[in-house]
Amino acid sequence: MKFHGSISVFIASALAVSSVVVANDFAKATSDTFVCQSNRNGTPTTFAKTSNGPREFIRWTYDGFRGYTPSRRCTEVTNRLNRYIASGSRYITYGTMSNRSVICMTNKSGAGCTDLLYTLKPGDDGREVLRDLLRLNRENFKNDPRIESSSCPVYFDINAWLAGESQTANVACTPQNNLSE
């Protein structure tokens, strides 16, 4: 009898541990901050999961990149966003990587691009794309944006945005990027 009781306890313990592992795997799989889905118009869209429900982040409409359909860009950039945020990146900005203009991420305001989000169309101005993408205006900057005349990069705090804060962007001038000094 004791032997059968020990086996029952062992099996129950093994089942409990495997249930926790499966539950943790499911929680991890569904804990991504961003998802790629079609919006109500059928456009591939990166949505942010927020406490107030899903929020459109990027609508993917341009299909001028050979081999990169809007659906593919949506999936790839959404996966990058989740990976970069999980590894500590928190600011979205713009810059140049491999001699191409890009929207990118970094872990520090004022730092250069460390993680590629996506490549811009030829001729696009990164500052303007970022402003349009994130609907930036004077009200959502933490500091004086000097939008019209500044050569200093804009840094968008994705964590502040996800938390529902109204001031989510700042301009960070360093001696390397401030041409007015």
Side-chain angles (χ1 to χ4, degrees):
M1 267 321 212
K2 266 191 164 185
F3 180 70
H4 289 302
S6 297
I7 290 176
S8 296
V9 168
F10 174 75
I11 291 173
S13 297
L15 287 173
V17 168
S18 65
S19 296
V20 168
V21 169
V22 169
N24 284 341
D25 286 345
F26 178 75
K28 185 177 181 183
T30 60
S31 68
D32 287 340
T33 304
F34 293 93
V35 294
C36 175
Q37 299 174 339
S38 293
N39 67 10
R40 66 178 177 256
N41 298 326
T43 303
T45 303
T46 298
F47 286 90
K49 292 191 222 174
T50 69
S51 57
N52 296 326
R55 187 171 173 186
E56 275 194 14
F57 189 63
I58 304 171
R59 285 185 211 143
W60 299 97
T61 57
Y62 182 72
D63 63 359
F65 288 103
R66 193 174 331 159
Y68 287 90
T69 64
S71 292
R72 181 175 176 188
R73 291 184 89 203
C74 180
T75 299
E76 289 189 15
V77 173
T78 300
N79 290 338
R80 289 175 191 164
L81 274 165
N82 287 318
R83 188 172 59 247
Y84 300 154
I85 288 171
S87 69
S89 287
R90 97 178 244 191
Y91 294 97
I92 297 176
T93 190
Y94 54 91
T96 304
M97 297 178 84
S98 301
N99 294 318
R100 295 196 160 172
S101 295
V102 299
I103 298 296
C104 57
M105 289 190 76
T106 186
N107 61 355
K108 182 179 176 192
S109 180
C113 293
T114 55
D115 301 310
L116 170 71
L117 275 181
Y118 65 93
T119 304
L120 298 177
K121 294 182 278 188
D124 276 355
D125 179 309
R127 183 184 208 53
E128 289 302 314
V129 170
L130 191 67
R131 284 181 60 196
D132 290 345
L133 171 69
L134 304 170
R135 295 169 196 86
L136 297 178
N137 57 49
R138 292 192 182 279
E139 283 73 45
N140 49 18
F141 276 83
K142 295 178 182 179
N143 61 354
D144 177 13
R146 293 174 276 157
I147 289 173
E148 311 312 325
S149 63
S150 178
S151 61
C152 302
V154 173
Y155 290 83
F156 174 77
D157 187 337
I158 193 71
N159 293 341
W161 183 79
L162 289 167
E165 294 178 22
S166 60
Q167 294 186 323
T168 56
N170 68 307
V171 174
C173 290
T174 60
Q176 302 95 301
N177 61 26
N178 190 359
L179 301 178
S180 63
E181 287 188 332

